Amino acid sequence: MSNVNMEATTILPILKKKLAFLSGGKDRRSGLILTIPLSSDQTSMEELSATLDYLLSIPSEKCKARGFTVIVDGRKSQWNIVKTVVLMLQNVIPAEVSLVCVVKPDEFWDKKVTHFCFWKEKDRLGFEVILVSANKLTRYIEPCQLTDDFGGSLDYDHSDWLNKRLVFEKFTKESTSLLDELSIINESDKGSSVDKDKSADCALLPSFDPETVLQTGHELLSELQQRRFNGSEGGGGGGQGGPAWCPMEEELLAQPQVMKLLDSLREQYTRYQELCRQRNKRTQLDEIHAKVMQVVTWLQGPGSELLKTQQEIGDSIRAAQALQQKHEEIESQHSEWFAVYVELNQQIAALLSAGEEEEVVELKALQQQLSDVCYRQASQLEGRQNVLQAAQSFHSTTQELSQQLDGLLGMLCADVAPADGASIQQNLKLLEEKLQTVEAGLASLRQKGGMLLEQMCNQPSWSPEETEIPAGEQQDNIQHIQAVMEEMQLRKQRCEDMVDVRRLKMLQMVQLFKCEEDALQAVEWLGELLDALLKTHVRLGDDTQETRTMLDKHRKFVDVAQSTYDYGRQLLQATVVLCQSLRCTTRSSGDTLPRLNRVWKQFTVSTEERQQRLELALSFHSAAEKVLQQECVDMESLDDVDSTGKVLLDRLTMPVIFPDGSEQYFGSPSETAAAAEGVRERLLLVEERRLQLQEARLDNEEEDEEEGRVLNGQDGRLDVIGEELSEKEEQEEEEEEEVTEEEAEEARQQDEDLERGTQDC
C-alpha cells in the first residue's frame, strides 16, 4: 500500500464505530463512494476527521483524481450536524469531492433553513450538494453500487473490512521483519564452513513463524484476488449499464505488494529450510533409532506384564467398572508410547521418501520391528477392552433383571385389595407386563452372556516367547457366567409359578366384583321399575277391552320384575361362593340383599295394588257396559255398577302403604283426577239409564208394581245367592292367605340363608 500515514491499530476504537466507510461502490464517473452514516447520538468531529484521514490514505492518487461521491446519511441526525459535516468535507478532502448527497429524513428539516444554507455556502464549498431521499438516491448512483441501507444490492460488512485491513497491515509488518531475519541467517551460513556436527547457526530462529506468515499472506492474497478486501463480495462487476469496476490492485495497490512479499519470503524460507534440513538429518536418524528401541523395550516388557495381570471380569457392575477404570489407566500409559510410535513412523516415512540409500535398509528394519510390536500390543488392548465392555453389559443386564425379579416378587407377595374390577384388571395387566419384561430381560441376559463368552474365547494369543494366561482363571470366569444365568432362570421360573396362582385369584376377584356390580344393577333396575310403576301406571282404561289389555301388560311387567329379582338373588348367591373361595372377610356388599328384598317387597305391594285396581276397573266397565247395552235392566244392577264405581273412585284416592309404613301415591294428582274422570263419566251414563227406567215405570204403574213383586222375589233369591258367593269368596281368600304366608315364610328363610352367607364372607 502507498501513502499510508497511520495504521488501523492506532485508531481501532474509532474505526469500529463506523463513522465513515468505503463500501467499494462507485459512481457513474468511476469515483469511489464514501458513506458517512450519522446517528442520533452526537458525532465527534475529531473522530470523524481521523476516520476520513485514514480512509483517504488507502486509495491511489489515480483513484483520488476521479473524485469521491460522498453520501451523508442524515436520516437519524439533526440539520446542524449535517451542515457541520458537509462543511468539514471542504477542509478534509476539498479537491477530491465531486458530489455530496445528503440523504434527508422522511420528516424533513425546515426547508427554508436548509435551502438558504446550501445556496449560501455553494460557491465557497467547491462541490455540489444535493438533498435527496433514500429511495431517490438511485438517480445519481446505480443500485448495484449502493448498500442495502439505501435500497441497493452491494454487500458490505464493516467488521470484515476492518479485520482484513488489520490482517494486511500485520502481514506487511511481519513479513518485512521476517525477510530481514532470514536473509541474515542464510547469508551467515554462506560465510561459514559446512560442518554437519555443528548446528549452532540453526539455533538462530526467526522472530515469526514463516509458515504462519506465509499462510496469512496466501489467505490475504486470495481475498484480494476475489475482490473482497474492501468488503465487496463480487459486487465490483459494474452495475447494469454502468462502468466496469477496475481491478483491485489499481484501486488499493495491495495485491502487487502482497505478491512481491510472498515471493521473497518463499525464496528465503526455502533456503532456510534446506539449511536446517541438512544439518538436522544425522541427528534425526540417531534420535529415531534410540526412540524405536525405547518403545519396543517398554511394550514387550512392562506393557505386556500389565495386560497379563488383568484377566478378571468381575462379579458385579461396580467391579467391572473398576476393572474398566484400571484398563483405561493401562491404555493411557500405552497411548503415550503409541503416540511416540506414530511420530516415529511418520519421521521414518519422511526419511524413506527422501531417497537416501545408505539409511533406507536401517530405517525399514526399524519401522518393521516397531510396527509388529505396536500392532500386537494394540490387538491385546482391544481384545481386553471388548471383554470388559461385554462384561459390563452382562453385569448391567444381570442387575437390571434382578431388580425386575425383585419388583415382580414384591408385587406377588403384596396383598390384593383392589377397590373395583377395573383396578384388578389394571393390576393383572401390570403383572403380565412385568412378567413379559422379566422374560425379555432373561433373553437379553442369555444373549449378553453368549457374547461375553465369545469375546473371551476370541482374545488374541500372545507371541511364542511370551507366557500364556493361566487356563484356570479363564475357566473360573466361564463358570461364573454360566452360574449367574442359571440362577436367574430359576428365579424367573419361581416367579412364573407364583404369577399363575395370582392370576387365578385375580380372575376370581374380577368375577366377584362383576357379580356384585350386576346385583347392584338388579337393585337399581327394580327401583327403576318401581318408580315407573308408581309414576306412569295410573290409567285404568276407558272400556273393558282397554282395561283387559292393560291388565295383560301389567302381568308381563310383573314377570320382568320377577326375573330381575331372581337374577339378583342368583348373583348374590354366587358372591357368597366366591367369597368363601377367596376367603374374603372384608367385603362391603352385605347390604345388597336387604336392599334387594326391600325394593322387591315395595314393588310387590305396588303391583298387587295396581292389579286390584285394574281388576276392579275391569269389573266396573263390564257391568257398566252390560247395563248400558241391555234394554231391560233392573235397578239392582244399576245400583251395583254405581257402588262399584264409587269403590273404584275411593280406591284411586288411597296411597300404597309399604311394609315399612311409608306411603306412596300412583302418579300425580292430575293424572289420578284424569283416571277418575273416566269412571265418573261412566257413572253419569248409568245414572241417565236409571232416569230412563224411572220414567218408564211412571207410565205403567201396574206393570211396575207387578214387576216390583217379581223383583222382590228375585231379590230374595239374589240375597241367598249373594250370601253363598260371599261365603265362597271368604273361603278362597283364606286359602290364598295361607298359600301366601307359606311362600313368604319360604322366601324369608332363603333370605336369611343368603344374608348369613354374605355376612360370613
Side-chain angles (χ1 to χ4, degrees), residues 671-682:
E671 293 173 338
T672 303
E677 186 64 26
V679 177
R680 291 191 181 95
E681 290 178 356
R682 277 295 176 97

Side-chain angles (χ1 to χ4, degrees), residues 115-168:
H115 183 71
F116 170 76
C117 291
F118 276 121
W119 279 97
K120 180 179 178 181
E121 303 293 338
K122 180 178 181 180
D123 295 335
R124 73 182 187 88
L125 284 175
F127 47 78
E128 183 181 3
V129 180
I130 299 174
L131 293 175
V132 64
S133 300
N135 57 358
K136 295 181 180 180
L137 194 59
T138 54
R139 294 180 179 179
Y140 307 96
I141 303 172
E142 294 294 336
C144 62
Q145 304 298 328
L146 291 172
T147 60
D148 57 356
D149 295 334
F150 306 108
S153 60
L154 180 62
D155 293 333
Y156 175 73
D157 187 342
H158 187 71
S159 299
D160 184 63
W161 174 85
L162 185 57
N163 291 334
K164 288 181 174 57
R165 287 297 305 174
L166 293 173
V167 171
F168 175 80

Side-chain angles (χ1 to χ4, degrees), residues 300-582:
Q300 290 182 341
S304 297
E305 292 300 324
L306 284 174
L307 280 177
K308 291 177 182 179
T309 57
Q310 298 294 319
Q311 297 300 324
E312 298 179 359
I313 61 172
D315 57 358
S316 64
I317 182 65
R318 182 175 298 179
Q321 290 174 349
L323 292 173
Q324 176 65 33
Q325 184 177 0
K326 180 64 177 177
H327 181 73
E328 290 175 355
E329 295 175 359
I330 297 175
E331 279 188 334
S332 178
Q333 298 179 36
H334 280 75
S335 297
E336 298 176 0
W337 294 99
F338 287 153
V340 176
Y341 158 71
V342 172
E343 182 181 355
L344 288 173
N345 201 32
Q346 293 175 350
Q347 293 177 5
I348 293 173
L351 292 176
L352 288 173
S353 62
E356 299 292 339
E357 295 183 2
E358 62 272 13
E359 294 94 3
V360 168
V361 177
E362 180 184 358
L363 288 173
K364 285 187 176 182
L366 287 174
Q367 188 180 40
Q368 187 63 40
Q369 182 184 8
L370 182 63
S371 297
D372 292 343
V373 174
C374 288
Y375 278 115
R376 185 167 57 250
Q377 199 73 1
S379 179
Q380 292 291 344
L381 284 171
E382 183 180 5
R384 175 61 178 168
Q385 177 65 31
N386 293 336
V387 170
L388 288 176
Q389 288 180 351
Q392 288 188 62
S393 179
F394 175 76
H395 291 311
S396 176
T397 305
T398 301
Q399 180 177 339
E400 183 178 357
L401 179 58
S402 179
Q403 293 174 353
Q404 293 170 354
L405 288 168
D406 292 340
L408 180 58
L409 184 61
M411 185 175 180
L412 292 171
C413 293
D415 292 335
V416 181
D420 51 30
S423 61
I424 295 180
Q425 293 284 5
Q426 185 67 25
N427 290 339
L428 185 59
K429 181 180 178 182
L430 180 61
L431 189 66
E432 298 292 348
E433 290 177 352
K434 284 184 174 293
L435 182 59
Q436 292 177 1
T437 303
V438 168
E439 292 175 350
L442 183 60
S444 177
L445 181 66
R446 294 194 187 99
Q447 180 185 7
K448 299 294 177 59
M451 293 175 60
L452 177 56
L453 293 174
E454 182 180 356
Q455 290 291 343
M456 292 172 61
C457 296
N458 292 337
Q459 289 189 82
S461 59
W462 296 91
S463 58
E465 63 271 11
E466 293 174 329
T467 306
E468 290 287 342
I469 302 173
E473 188 172 358
Q474 189 83 344
Q475 188 64 28
D476 292 341
N477 292 335
I478 294 174
Q479 291 177 356
H480 172 71
I481 296 170
Q482 294 174 346
V484 169
M485 291 191 292
E486 291 175 358
E487 179 187 359
M488 291 301 165
Q489 175 64 35
L490 291 175
R491 290 181 61 185
K492 182 252 184 182
Q493 185 62 46
R494 288 195 295 269
C495 287
E496 277 186 343
D497 297 339
M498 296 178 68
V499 166
D500 293 338
V501 176
R502 176 57 60 89
R503 185 187 295 112
L504 178 60
K505 183 177 181 180
M506 296 181 77
L507 290 175
Q508 287 180 339
M509 294 188 70
V510 170
Q511 187 177 4
L512 172 61
F513 277 113
K514 181 63 177 174
C515 290
E516 292 178 348
E517 292 174 1
D518 291 347
L520 290 174
Q521 184 65 49
V523 175
E524 293 179 2
W525 286 344
L526 279 178
E528 292 174 358
L529 292 174
L530 175 61
D531 189 62
L533 174 65
L534 293 173
K535 290 184 178 180
T536 61
H537 294 206
V538 181
R539 294 185 67 254
L540 300 175
D542 296 332
D543 52 30
T544 304
Q545 183 177 358
E546 184 178 2
T547 303
R548 186 174 287 107
T549 301
M550 295 178 70
L551 189 59
D552 292 340
K553 290 183 178 179
H554 176 73
R555 293 191 180 96
K556 294 179 180 178
F557 182 78
V558 173
D559 293 340
V560 172
Q562 180 68 50
S563 300
T564 303
Y565 171 70
D566 295 340
Y567 177 64
R569 289 182 60 86
Q570 292 173 2
L571 290 173
L572 290 175
Q573 291 174 355
T575 58
V576 172
V577 175
L578 289 173
C579 284
Q580 293 173 351
S581 175
L582 294 171

Side-chain angles (χ1 to χ4, degrees), residues 672-718:
T672 303
E677 186 64 26
V679 177
R680 291 191 181 95
E681 290 178 356
R682 277 295 176 97
L683 288 175
L684 288 175
L685 294 175
V686 173
E687 187 64 26
E688 291 178 358
R689 181 63 171 167
R690 184 192 300 274
L691 292 176
Q692 292 175 0
L693 291 176
Q694 289 178 354
E695 290 177 357
R697 287 178 181 178
L698 291 176
D699 293 338
N700 195 352
E701 292 180 356
E702 292 180 356
E703 290 182 354
D704 291 341
E705 291 178 357
E706 183 64 26
E707 289 177 0
R709 285 192 297 271
V710 174
L711 289 174
N712 287 331
Q714 292 178 351
D715 289 340
R717 294 175 60 190
L718 289 174

